[in-house]
Amino acid sequence: MPLEYRQWISPDYFETFCCYYGSLIRTHSQQELKMSDEDAAVRIQSRYKGFKVRKDIQEKKEQEQAAVRIQANFRGHKARKELAEQREVPFPETDDFPGYTEEEEAAIKIQANFRGHKARKQLASEGRLPPQ
């Protein structure tokens, strides 16, 4: 017969509950005090071994999850790459700066990027460009 809420909070039941669990705790504590050093060592070792096994299982599970994630990412990368190769239309090579060497073209691009950066910075300081 399950206890009703009133029975749980009644002083008589609460006192009985406390006495029962108090006696369990005292009995458990007394049993531990009576334990020999060898029994204590065995208990400590068995708990440590259990802890170590649970820790190893958790680490193995995490490694497996990481491996699965890496494999899934690689499969996705591979599929996207194959799809891009199927859709890819070769673009004609364009010469952005005809008559210049590759190094000169790189220098021109760097200078243009810096000039753009400088101009955007000036416009932002004057309030004509919203900051990003």
Side-chain angles (χ1 to χ4, degrees):
M1 179 170 130
L3 295 173
E4 292 183 20
Y5 180 71
R6 290 183 190 153
Q7 289 176 316
W8 278 99
I9 61 171
S10 69
D12 295 335
Y13 182 77
F14 184 72
E15 186 178 324
T16 306
F17 178 79
C18 289
C19 290
Y20 174 71
Y21 281 102
S23 68
L24 281 179
I25 292 170
R26 281 191 298 278
T27 305
H28 184 67
S29 298
Q30 289 170 355
Q31 287 175 352
E32 286 187 0
L33 290 175
K34 293 178 186 176
M35 190 183 309
S36 69
D37 290 344
E38 186 177 329
D39 291 339
V42 168
R43 181 174 284 188
I44 291 169
Q45 290 170 355
S46 66
R47 289 186 179 173
Y48 177 75
K49 287 177 185 176
F51 161 76
K52 191 174 176 183
V53 167
R54 286 188 299 275
K55 185 178 175 184
D56 291 343
I57 290 170
Q58 180 64 28
E59 287 176 358
K60 187 175 181 181
K61 186 185 292 186
E62 289 172 1
Q63 287 177 349
E64 288 174 358
Q65 289 173 347
V68 167
R69 191 74 189 145
I70 290 170
Q71 291 169 354
N73 285 336
F74 179 75
R75 287 188 195 110
H77 164 73
K78 188 176 174 183
R80 286 188 298 276
K81 186 177 177 183
E82 289 173 0
L83 186 62
E85 287 174 357
Q86 290 173 359
R87 291 183 180 177
E88 189 173 304
V89 176
F91 292 107
E93 297 238 353
T94 58
D95 193 8
D96 292 337
F97 305 100
Y100 290 100
T101 65
E102 194 173 323
E103 289 177 357
E104 291 171 335
E105 287 181 14
I108 291 170
K109 287 180 182 179
I110 291 171
Q111 291 169 354
N113 284 332
F114 181 74
R115 286 189 197 110
H117 165 74
K118 192 175 174 183
R120 286 187 298 277
K121 189 174 178 182
Q122 182 179 359
L123 288 174
S125 68
E126 294 172 0
R128 296 191 297 175
L129 183 70
Q132 295 183 10

